[in-house]
Amino acid sequence: MDAEIALIRDALTARMGEITRSVVASIRQQIPFYADAGAVSEEMVTAAVHDNLSYMVRALTDTTFDTAPAAATGRTRAEIGVPLAAVMHAYRIGVHRVWQEVHAIAEARPELSRQALLSATQHMWEAQDQFVDAMAGAHRDRTTEQALDDAAERAALAEYLLQGRIPSDQSLWEIATILRIPTTGPYLAVAAATVEVGRAPLPGIADRLRAIDAYSAWRLLPDQQIGIVHAPTPAVRTAVIDLLRRVAVARVGVSAPFGDLRDTPQGLTFARRELVGPGTGVSVFDGSVLGTAAIAAPETTVDLARGVLHGLYELPDDDREPLFATFRAWVAHDGNVKDAAAELFVHPNTVRHRLRRVEQLTGRSVGSPREVAELCLAFEVDARVRFQVGASRDATA
């Protein structure tokens, strides 16, 4: 029987060139990915088919199977992006073609015993199983390696973009292309405080944003998760903020929209400033002149706010907070007392009384443009850098 199996092996080896050409033609015809010679060249497919089928044929008489060619095929196909299903389909085409040749040899040589044919068939299918396992395992391993490499590269490039440190051999727009972010804005910069070191406070955020047609890139740092989001329209920006509010587990700061990738580091600075504050939730920087002035130089503006508002800071919380709320409502409604009162659910006279108390405690008049500007900036600093102002107030007390 061993001699008969060797005869089958030799007959298949003698016809390997013809078998290879037939298998390659079938692969090109039946598998869409291989139909384009530009994806995988004719020479590459032919060499892989010939090597793998030759090893499989030699396995008819070998007690061990050398699966190195199958593993090499799996790795190289993964590197050029051939789907695993397409490679496995190609293997099935090759094995079935070899089996057809064995059947033809059996018909041409009636002296071959049934036991030899069954044994040869068993060896062939066993070889196929081991070859496919080796190929699929190598393909998956290489795909995983590439995914990890791509993720590491994207994370590094995202940090470069967000921090404004662009490698000399790459342009800003090349990095955006690699990160799959459109090169024209507007964009939003996002900073989310971490709850645990190494755990993303916005888990799966890139995929969730992609589901609402918002492209993004992210970098996880020990204390923050930072990112840039392409938000070209007000509707998309609203959807992005709503999504962040749903998934946030800690405080999240979002910049005002900016249109140029060069402004990404500044946008991240504003987003990070919005992290300064109590509680959780999403805080969006409005991009106003007052807001920008309040956080642009906090070491200076904190002293300014303390100097203007120190009289208010000396009040108990129950007395101070209504005055703060009233002044902010009055500013938000462009100085309209009735509208501010409606928002606060109080009588207009109550608003007027509280504004007079603010004037008395700060020494600034709400009727003086210069002095009301000082008040507006001081209150803006208190709202945006309140921890630093509060710390200074507590230390003074």
Side-chain angles (χ1 to χ4, degrees):
M1 185 178 67
D2 290 343
E4 290 178 320
I5 294 176
L7 187 151
I8 296 172
R9 178 201 63 199
D10 294 342
L12 289 171
T13 300
R15 293 175 52 78
M16 188 52 63
E18 182 180 342
I19 295 173
T20 297
R21 288 189 292 273
S22 175
V23 170
V24 170
S26 296
I27 289 174
R28 292 287 193 198
Q29 181 180 6
Q30 297 181 32
I31 306 177
F33 192 92
Y34 285 97
D36 181 9
V40 186
S41 68
E42 187 82 12
E43 293 77 11
M44 184 181 291
V45 177
T46 300
V49 169
H50 185 276
D51 290 347
N52 283 281
L53 293 185
S54 295
Y55 273 89
M56 188 174 296
V57 168
R58 285 198 291 273
L60 292 176
T61 54
D62 292 342
T63 56
T64 58
F65 301 131
D66 183 2
T67 58
T73 299
R75 284 193 298 273
T76 56
R77 297 303 181 268
E79 288 171 355
I80 61 178
V82 182
L84 179 58
V87 187
M88 295 184 73
H89 190 179
Y91 261 80
R92 286 193 292 270
I93 290 173
V95 173
H96 279 282
R97 183 69 179 84
V98 172
W99 185 86
Q100 290 173 354
E101 286 295 323
V102 172
H103 189 268
I105 292 170
E107 289 186 342
R109 297 175 180 270
E111 70 275 13
L112 292 174
S113 66
R114 181 173 180 274
Q115 186 177 4
L117 292 172
L118 291 175
S119 179
T121 302
Q122 179 181 350
H123 275 72
M124 185 180 67
W125 294 116
E126 289 176 353
Q128 182 210 18
D129 289 342
Q130 295 196 29
F131 270 61
V132 169
D133 287 346
M135 181 277 298
H139 190 287
R140 283 191 291 266
D141 289 345
R142 185 65 187 119
T143 300
T144 300
E145 292 173 3
Q146 288 179 307
L148 293 174
D149 290 343
D150 290 346
E153 180 183 13
R154 283 171 54 81
L157 291 176
E159 185 171 1
Y160 286 146
L161 177 62
L162 288 159
Q163 303 289 2
R165 298 182 290 110
I166 307 303
S168 58
D169 59 341
Q170 288 179 308
S171 72
L172 198 62
W173 293 270
E174 286 174 331
I175 290 177
T177 300
I178 294 173
L179 294 174
R180 304 185 186 95
I181 298 176
T183 55
T184 57
Y187 310 93
L188 298 173
V190 181
T194 58
V195 178
E196 295 181 43
V197 175
R199 177 169 294 185
L202 299 172
I205 189 62
D207 291 337
R208 297 185 184 197
L209 287 169
R210 185 66 190 88
I212 60 173
D213 294 326
Y215 295 86
S216 63
W218 298 86
R219 180 76 168 102
L220 180 61
L221 304 176
D223 60 338
Q224 292 176 3
Q225 184 179 8
I226 56 177
I228 179 173
V229 183
H230 183 249
T233 66
V236 173
R237 289 194 287 275
T238 299
V240 169
I241 300 302
D242 289 343
L243 176 61
L244 291 173
R245 288 195 171 107
R246 290 197 301 272
V247 303
V249 296
R251 192 168 180 83
V252 178
V254 181
S255 73
F258 55 94
D260 195 322
L261 283 172
R262 296 185 188 89
D263 296 330
T264 302
Q266 184 181 33
L268 179 61
T269 298
F270 291 143
R272 280 173 160 161
R273 292 293 186 188
E274 292 297 318
L275 293 180
V276 179
T280 61
V282 177
S283 179
V284 182
F285 179 65
D286 59 10
S288 65
V289 173
L290 277 177
T292 303
I295 66 176
E299 63 280 357
T300 300
T301 55
V302 165
D303 289 339
L304 181 150
R306 193 185 321 122
V308 173
L309 304 177
H310 68 90
L312 289 167
Y313 287 148
E314 293 174 355
L315 297 174
D317 290 349
D318 290 345
D319 290 338
R320 181 179 66 252
E321 293 307 322
L323 299 181
F324 272 72
T326 299
F327 184 85
R328 287 173 176 144
W330 179 72
V331 171
H333 291 285
D334 296 325
N336 188 302
V337 172
K338 291 184 178 180
D339 290 345
E343 178 185 323
L344 298 170
F345 299 102
V346 297
H347 194 277
N349 286 339
T350 301
V351 173
R352 295 186 183 95
H353 171 70
R354 290 176 180 176
L355 289 175
R356 282 195 294 272
R357 287 203 66 198
V358 169
E359 290 179 317
Q360 294 167 358
L361 291 167
T362 62
R364 271 79 174 173
S365 170
V366 297
S368 167
R370 181 184 295 275
E371 293 179 1
V372 82
E374 290 183 7
L375 285 171
C376 288
L377 181 56
F379 274 91
E380 191 75 23
V381 173
D382 176 84
R384 297 189 179 280
V385 203
R386 60 178 68 90
F387 275 0
Q388 295 181 38
V389 176
S392 301
R393 169 171 52 86
D394 294 341
T396 301

